[in-house]
Amino acid sequence: RWTLVVGCDIVLTESPAQHIFNPKYGYIMPPHIPEESDNVIVLQRSDSSESALPADPDSSKHQLPPSIISRQNGQYTVEEVARHNKKDDAWLIYNNQVLDISNWVSHHPGGEQTIYRFAGMDATDELRAFHDDWVLEKKVPHLVIGTVVDAPAPSQLVQDFRELGEHFDKLGYFHVSPWFYVQKVLFVMSLFSCVLWLVLKEESVAAHMLGAVVLGIFWQQFAFVGHDCGHMSARTHARDHIDVVNLGALVTFFNGISVAWWKATHNVHHAMPNTVDCDPDIAHLPVFALHKKMFEGLYNKYHGRVMEFDWAARNIFVPYQHFWYYPIMAFARWNLY
């Protein structure tokens, strides 16, 4: 075992080839510490291999406190993990391992709110559903602080869900073909070219109306490319040579939809689908109410405020929301996009 001090950050690692995450230097490996890190000290190594980095002669005065060592190999109950459910003190459970994500929440590529919603909870199946294996294998070990000693057995529903996921994986449903997106982008750009031709080269009203229809199809088709980029499903493995960032930026430019903004809310929707106090995609008071709990007003965890069931909701909108839906959505699209 290597024990290192990087600045003021204490790090444990099983081998010198294992990557270490440090807030200042990012991912580093013990044999390749940044040159300016003159305050990196090798405290100890469990064997006497000649290839080991030289130990500091005063290493005895740098021994790790027992609290740090016990934290790295700690054992916790589900109840203990549940108490760490705040943004600056967030733990979660993955595969019976306890992860401290407090410093990782703000860096989560899927959005801060998405992962924070599972603080204090078992998020094993959610993490598996949202991430490819390579992501979990690479990132999770750096966050582990211990194990759960009283994890309950998975329910039959959870077992069925996992079995279904494995079945789909064997069928190849979770493996991306880059050529699919090459063909898709070529197709939607051909639609846009048709729109330009009909609008700029033709003068008849019929041609311009046809151009409007084709433009609508272009927007709809390209929006789903942005949908895949937002969910990172356009690149599920490091070997997938798909530039998701620039592809998403292209969708944003042509559609006027911020993929990053949409991702921040929609990923939470998929993480906590139709959860009345958290899902931002159903938080529409005072205009629409989708659950009886909303009739009393409800604190929304995503927005961080109480969404009031006020006079307008009680007397104008909600009782007649089935009539209001289409007229409101005709204008709400401006706010949405």
Side-chain angles (χ1 to χ4, degrees):
R1 174 184 291 273
W2 291 93
T3 306
L4 305 178
V5 173
V6 183
C8 61
D9 300 291
I10 298 174
V11 184
L12 297 180
T13 177
E14 292 298 329
S15 79
Q18 181 180 347
H19 287 74
I20 297 173
F21 178 77
N22 177 268
K24 181 177 180 181
Y25 299 110
Y27 282 96
I28 60 175
M29 293 193 300
H32 304 289
I33 304 297
E35 292 181 359
E36 65 271 22
S37 304
D38 55 357
N39 55 351
V40 175
I41 304 170
V42 179
L43 298 181
Q44 62 181 20
R45 195 172 192 272
S46 58
D47 59 43
S48 57
S49 171
E50 293 182 359
S51 62
L53 293 175
D56 177 59
D58 296 324
S59 60
S60 59
K61 67 182 180 182
H62 299 297
Q63 294 300 319
L64 290 175
S67 60
I68 295 295
I69 297 176
S70 63
R71 188 171 186 265
Q72 292 288 331
N73 302 285
Q75 293 185 327
Y76 307 95
T77 65
V78 172
E79 184 180 354
E80 285 179 299
V81 175
R83 290 198 290 265
H84 298 269
N85 59 356
K86 301 178 179 61
K87 190 173 296 186
D88 58 348
D89 180 23
W91 293 7
L92 57 78
I93 300 171
Y94 169 73
N95 200 25
N96 291 339
Q97 296 176 308
V98 179
L99 278 57
D100 185 349
I101 60 171
S102 306
N103 295 326
W104 171 245
V105 169
S106 60
H107 302 286
H108 182 230
E112 181 177 309
Q113 292 276 1
T114 309
I115 192 170
Y116 167 59
R117 291 300 146 216
F118 296 102
M121 302 167 58
D122 188 332
T124 299
D125 292 287
E126 288 79 6
L127 289 177
R128 285 175 175 169
F130 273 75
H131 304 89
D132 201 60
D133 289 343
W134 71 273
V135 178
L136 299 176
E137 291 168 2
K138 182 178 179 181
K139 302 295 185 182
V140 167
H142 303 289
L143 305 172
V144 174
I145 60 171
T147 57
V148 176
V149 295
D150 62 342
S155 66
Q156 186 61 50
L157 178 63
V158 170
Q159 294 179 49
D160 291 344
F161 177 81
R162 294 174 180 176
E163 183 179 350
L164 182 64
E166 291 173 359
H167 177 66
F168 285 157
D169 188 41
K170 291 178 181 178
L171 293 176
Y173 288 179
F174 303 139
H175 301 277
V176 176
S177 170
W179 287 109
F180 171 83
Y181 288 99
V182 171
Q183 296 172 29
K184 193 70 173 180
V185 172
L186 290 175
F187 170 67
V188 295
M189 286 305 169
S190 67
L191 290 178
F192 189 68
S193 299
C194 290
V195 172
L196 294 178
W197 176 270
L198 290 169
V199 173
L200 301 177
K201 295 295 184 179
E202 300 294 332
E203 297 183 358
S204 68
V205 174
H208 288 182
M209 292 300 100
L210 179 60
V213 172
V214 176
L215 180 62
I217 297 173
F218 162 77
W219 279 333
Q220 184 269 342
Q221 289 292 301
F222 214 16
F224 276 102
V225 174
H227 175 275
D228 290 355
C229 291
H231 282 303
M232 298 302 290
S233 58
R235 186 177 185 269
T236 61
H237 199 282
R239 63 173 175 262
D240 296 335
H241 300 293
I242 301 175
D243 192 340
V244 173
V245 174
N246 286 324
L247 183 56
L250 193 65
V251 174
T252 298
F253 176 79
F254 279 99
N255 284 46
I257 304 172
S258 170
V259 173
W261 169 86
W262 173 84
K263 176 179 177 178
T265 61
H266 197 67
N267 275 5
V268 178
H269 160 70
H270 279 282
M272 311 286 283
N274 296 331
T275 305
V276 294
D277 62 345
C278 185
D279 186 348
D281 281 11
I282 63 171
H284 303 310
L285 285 176
V287 179
F288 301 126
L290 281 75
H291 194 278
K292 61 182 180 181
K293 290 183 178 179
M294 297 180 178
F295 296 161
E296 303 297 328
L298 189 69
Y299 180 82
N300 187 275
K301 296 177 182 177
Y302 179 86
H303 293 291
R305 63 181 177 86
V306 175
M307 304 195 76
E308 299 286 354
F309 192 71
D310 56 18
W311 183 90
R314 290 194 305 272
N315 297 281
I316 299 177
F317 293 113
V318 174
Y320 311 103
Q321 61 185 2
H322 50 301
F323 295 118
W324 279 113
Y325 181 78
Y326 282 109
I328 288 176
M329 289 305 295
F331 295 96
R333 308 302 285 182
W334 292 92
N335 180 53
L336 180 62
Y337 288 163

